[in-house]
Amino acid sequence: MTRPIPAGGEAMPCSRRSLLSALPGLAAASAIPAVLHGPRTASAASDHPAASVSIQENPDLLRAYDEFLAARAEAAAAEDALEWLADEWKHLWPLAPEELLLGANAQYHSSKDSAERDIIGRYLIRDTSMLTTRMSRTHRQETPQTCFAVLSSSQAMETLDGWKRHIPKGRTEKSLASNRAFMEKAIETFERKLALAEKYEAETDSLRRAAGVDDAKNRVAATRGKLHRAEHEVSLIPAFTLEGLRIKAEAIRSDIPDVLLAHNSPLGCLSRIIQSILDVAGRTSA
């Protein structure tokens, strides 16, 4: 029969019999630190036989983790090589002619597909101080740097064809002549823009081929794919210890953007749990 607990937190009287009956439970509890932190010294193990029991990490997980680390290093090397290529060819890369520039802040808008980019495809943020034709002095001062959309040769050709098919109208001879002159001016303008766009695109395409941009980008894509497969493999293999949980969390966390850590969503919750595992494992191993 269970005895009541005394009020005020007073200790229950213990008999020799009750202590002996509790020993198996105490021995089992003493094994917990050994499971979490590995084997202890020989003297400590002799004092607590159960503490000598340790769990070894899943060897399949350790092998998969080694492959993940190798894939991560390979992907980082490929990305570094692509960055190096951009730096090496930066001085040869031409800016789009001012006459081809369209809207500013192209990296933030729907025009980002036509945004001006560097040799490896990053948004090109240019100095506006020299753009005296398309930007007023006040505008240049307010926007010292920005990324512009660039008129492509296909867009210029489409607009030019539209103007060539256009039939000017006017209620009077004067208005008809004015509309015809406007059309002819537009045709002249877009013929010039078409020539500029074709020359700019030919030059940039030639530089990309000479620099081997496609090969460098393909290498990055291949190594990233290998890394993602390695991450997935680590996530599938069971962990046996806290270190195994850390390994799995590290592999998964490497593919989660930091912004998700503050996101109010199920993905945000999972991201924070994964980060917590890494934090706890880091403090435990310190």
Side-chain angles (χ1 to χ4, degrees), residues 69-115:
L69 292 178
R72 186 168 65 181
E74 190 177 351
E79 291 173 1
D80 287 344
L82 186 64
E83 297 284 339
W84 178 87
L85 184 153
D87 291 339
E88 286 293 303
W89 288 81
K90 183 178 180 179
H91 68 288
L92 295 175
W93 189 252
L95 293 174
E98 184 174 356
E99 197 170 355
L100 297 180
L101 299 182
L102 301 174
N105 298 317
Q107 72 273 37
Y108 303 123
H109 303 305
S110 58
S111 57
K112 61 184 178 182
D113 290 340
S114 59

Side-chain angles (χ1 to χ4, degrees), residues 75 78-79 81-83 85-86 93 117-123 208 211-225:
E79 291 173 1
L82 186 64
E83 297 284 339
L85 184 153
W93 189 252
R117 298 173 184 266
D118 68 4
I119 193 170
I120 64 172
R122 298 174 302 189
Y123 293 119
R208 287 191 189 95
V213 171
D214 287 344
D215 289 342
K217 284 188 169 183
N218 289 338
R219 180 189 171 195
V220 169
T223 56
R224 284 178 179 172

Side-chain angles (χ1 to χ4, degrees), residues 6-280:
E10 296 178 0
M12 289 281 292
C14 286
S15 65
R16 181 173 180 274
R17 178 179 298 178
S18 63
L19 285 174
L20 290 175
S21 64
L23 284 177
L26 293 173
S30 68
I32 294 177
V35 172
L36 291 178
H37 303 295
R40 300 167 62 185
T41 62
S43 61
S46 62
D47 293 338
H48 301 281
S52 63
V53 179
S54 64
I55 298 177
Q56 300 298 319
E57 187 48 75
N58 188 342
D60 291 335
L61 180 59
L62 296 177
R63 282 193 293 270
Y65 181 59
D66 287 340
E67 293 176 2
F68 161 74
L69 292 178
R72 186 168 65 181
E74 190 177 351
E79 291 173 1
D80 287 344
L82 186 64
E83 297 284 339
W84 178 87
L85 184 153
D87 291 339
E88 286 293 303
W89 288 81
K90 183 178 180 179
H91 68 288
L92 295 175
W93 189 252
L95 293 174
E98 184 174 356
E99 197 170 355
L100 297 180
L101 299 182
L102 301 174
N105 298 317
Q107 72 273 37
Y108 303 123
H109 303 305
S110 58
S111 57
K112 61 184 178 182
D113 290 340
S114 59
E116 187 175 14
R117 298 173 184 266
D118 68 4
I119 193 170
I120 64 172
R122 298 174 302 189
Y123 293 119
L124 202 160
I125 309 299
R126 63 155 70 190
D127 178 15
T128 64
S129 62
M130 304 299 292
L131 303 178
T132 56
T133 300
R134 73 178 315 280
M135 297 181 72
S136 66
R137 180 178 180 180
T138 301
H139 194 185
R140 294 196 303 272
Q141 291 174 343
E142 292 175 348
T143 312
Q145 289 185 323
T146 189
C147 177
F148 290 95
V150 179
L151 182 72
S152 67
S153 60
S154 59
Q155 291 172 317
M157 177 65 78
E158 183 180 355
T159 304
L160 179 59
D161 288 343
W163 277 114
K164 287 182 175 179
R165 292 193 302 268
H166 179 69
I167 300 175
K169 298 178 181 180
R171 292 185 177 182
T172 65
E173 285 296 327
K174 183 177 180 179
S175 63
L176 178 60
S178 176
N179 290 339
R180 185 180 291 114
F182 185 84
M183 180 191 72
E184 291 172 353
K185 180 66 174 177
I187 290 174
E188 179 185 347
T189 297
F190 277 92
E191 284 178 340
R192 184 172 62 255
K193 288 187 176 185
L194 175 59
L196 285 172
E198 289 176 338
K199 180 181 178 181
Y200 170 71
E201 290 169 3
E203 184 177 1
T204 53
D205 287 345
S206 176
L207 286 173
R208 287 191 189 95
R209 288 194 298 272
V213 171
D214 287 344
D215 289 342
K217 284 188 169 183
N218 289 338
R219 180 189 171 195
V220 169
T223 56
R224 284 178 179 172
K226 184 177 179 179
L227 176 58
H228 290 159
R229 290 191 294 273
E231 292 168 354
H232 182 65
E233 185 66 19
V234 169
S235 73
L236 293 177
I237 301 174
F240 295 165
T241 68
L242 178 60
E243 174 62 10
L245 291 179
R246 185 199 65 78
I247 286 172
K248 292 169 74 69
E250 180 184 341
I252 297 171
R253 178 69 179 87
S254 67
D255 205 30
I256 296 176
D258 290 339
V259 68
L260 274 181
L261 291 174
H263 204 265
N264 186 20
S265 68
L267 283 177
C269 293
L270 289 173
S271 300
R272 291 186 289 275
I273 291 172
I274 291 169
Q275 186 60 56
S276 296
I277 293 173
L278 292 173
D279 294 341
V280 170

